[in-house]
Amino acid sequence: MAPEESAEATRLLRSFERRFLAARALRSFPWQSLEEKLRDSGSELLLDVLQKTVKHPLCVKHPPSVKYVRCFLSELIRKHEAVHAEPLDELYEALAEVLTAEEPTQCHRSYPLPSGNSVTLSESTAIISHGTTGLVTWNAALYLAEWAIENPVAFTHRTVLELGSGAGLTGLAICKMCRPRAYIFSDYHSRVLEQLRQNVLLNSLSLEPDATTPVQHPGHNTRNSESPRVTVAQLDWDTVTAPQLAAFQPDVVIAADVLYCPETVLSLVGVLQRLSACRKDQQAPDAYVAFTIRNPETCQLFTTEMGRAGISWEAVPRHDQKLFPYEEHSETAILKLTL
């Protein structure tokens, strides 16, 4: 295979690997490119795809939903049969394994990191379940995690408070790549908090037993400096007080994909106002809010309400890093706030 063709095949395999491990919608896979490559090659490429997806060590250890794997393999088989007459035993054997498997209520998504490490999330198989949107990973969380990995200095040796952590992707990526001193995941719904704790432990991070304990000063922290102090806190944006927020002593506050309705926008601005009083060494915490622009009116409401609250903001320049697969045509933005 020529060097150019080899590089193209590597990119194709990488695309399949990232999308499959993250359990992205099958329509987002580069099926047409695969079919074109299959016409010019034997079955080896499909075997490579199988190794990068269903047989990937991360997938074997933390499998996605059974239905997802079944649909993926069925599509692979269709592509193979469209260009090759001879069946590929390995594909049918892999499909046979999942045809009889039961579907669990939880599945996994994995996101390889530049360090060679990865973030793996256990998530609900339903997009919105038990009355909350916090049990899955949304696009802005992936986008903010990419930005953080590209800008680690914003978090290194600092205490980070995340509002509306959801499944935990952004925070886990920051904990593994940006060396924060302490990280506080927070959410309100009890099932989301339970899932958060599971995901923290799943990613080999130590979890503080008492989420309400104020973060210790660096001189009092006996942990390995490479391992942040991690807590999971229940926060009701409508009732949490400024003293309660100040107890976390945050240097940085982040939130992703929390602007999904006017009610949450108003609650978020209220929390940000109270956080502006959490001054550490006479300085308010830095704050970053990432969101996907689904409804421009909701985003406009957010910036308008921040203006009324005396919170200034500026758009963070778009980053070039594309580590994670998400909807490429969605418009995602990060605002840096001055509290």
Side-chain angles (χ1 to χ4, degrees):
M1 186 181 295
E4 185 175 319
E5 292 180 347
S6 178
E8 187 179 335
T10 299
R11 285 193 296 270
L12 183 64
L13 289 171
R14 174 65 172 156
S15 180
F16 267 83
E17 177 187 61
R18 292 194 311 162
R19 284 169 170 75
F20 182 83
L21 291 177
R24 299 303 295 183
L26 293 184
R27 65 178 180 274
S28 72
F29 284 65
W31 296 109
Q32 185 174 348
S33 298
L34 175 65
E35 194 167 343
E36 291 171 357
K37 292 292 290 181
L38 287 175
R39 295 185 191 282
D40 300 328
S41 63
S43 301
E44 292 78 10
L45 179 59
L46 272 181
L47 293 177
D48 289 339
V49 170
L50 199 61
Q51 291 299 319
K52 290 288 187 179
T53 55
V54 178
K55 300 297 183 182
H56 193 288
L58 274 175
C59 176
V60 174
K61 187 176 181 180
H62 303 297
S65 90
V66 172
K67 181 181 179 181
Y68 182 80
V69 177
R70 189 184 304 141
C71 291
F72 175 79
L73 287 170
S74 297
E75 187 63 26
L76 266 189
I77 289 171
R78 278 193 289 271
K79 296 303 180 188
H80 173 71
E81 291 177 343
V83 294
H84 293 292
E86 291 296 321
L88 191 61
D89 290 344
E90 288 85 350
L91 286 178
Y92 289 96
E93 290 168 2
L95 181 60
E97 289 180 16
V98 296
L99 284 176
T100 56
E102 293 186 5
E103 184 69 83
T105 58
Q106 298 286 306
C107 58
H108 297 88
R109 299 174 188 260
S110 293
Y111 301 87
L113 299 172
S115 61
N117 203 334
S118 62
V119 169
T120 295
L121 303 177
S122 174
E123 294 186 340
S124 168
T125 51
I127 290 182
I128 299 177
S129 61
H130 305 293
T132 178
T133 58
L135 292 170
V136 295
T137 297
W138 299 93
N139 283 342
L142 296 165
Y143 186 78
L144 182 56
E146 285 182 341
W147 181 85
I149 291 170
E150 197 173 64
N151 298 273
V153 69
F155 306 96
T156 302
H157 305 314
R158 307 184 81 190
T159 295
V160 185
L161 170 62
E162 182 179 5
L163 302 173
S165 299
L169 182 278
T170 303
L172 291 169
I174 289 174
C175 286
K176 291 192 173 191
M177 294 294 297
C178 302
R179 298 170 60 202
R181 177 171 61 248
Y183 200 97
I184 302 107
F185 295 88
S186 75
D187 219 295
Y188 174 68
H189 199 284
S190 59
R191 287 184 179 272
V192 176
L193 294 169
E194 179 184 347
Q195 192 74 79
L196 263 173
R197 294 186 185 98
Q198 291 178 14
N199 283 335
V200 168
L201 298 175
L202 182 65
N203 285 271
S204 304
L205 291 169
S206 299
L207 186 61
E208 290 296 314
D210 184 3
T212 61
T213 302
V215 176
Q216 295 175 352
H217 290 287
H220 298 142
N221 192 348
T222 58
R223 291 178 174 274
N224 183 333
S225 61
E226 298 299 312
S227 178
R229 173 179 170 133
V230 177
T231 58
V232 173
Q234 184 174 36
L235 284 187
D236 183 335
W237 293 355
D238 294 321
T239 61
V240 67
T241 65
Q244 288 171 329
L245 292 168
F248 294 119
Q249 302 180 37
D251 299 301
V252 188
V253 177
I254 66 170
D257 256 325
V258 293
L259 307 182
Y260 45 84
C261 69
E263 291 77 13
T264 61
V265 168
L266 297 176
S267 297
L268 175 62
V269 172
V271 172
L272 293 171
Q273 269 189 296
R274 276 163 262 156
L275 279 164
S276 66
C278 299
R279 298 186 177 275
K280 191 173 179 182
D281 300 326
Q282 304 304 310
Q283 185 175 354
D286 296 334
Y288 301 90
V289 177
F291 53 92
T292 300
I293 303 174
R294 299 184 183 87
N295 184 342
E297 292 180 1
T298 304
C299 299
Q300 181 63 48
L301 175 64
F302 179 53
T303 54
T304 299
E305 290 298 320
M306 283 198 297
R308 289 176 179 170
I311 300 172
S312 59
W313 57 272
E314 61 178 326
V316 173
R318 292 191 62 82
H319 59 268
D320 298 327
Q321 188 143 249
K322 187 68 186 293
L323 297 175
F324 307 123
Y326 45 83
E327 295 175 24
E328 296 181 8
H329 301 297
S330 63
E331 189 177 351
T332 309
I334 301 174
L335 299 184
K336 181 179 181 181
L337 316 182
T338 302
L339 301 182

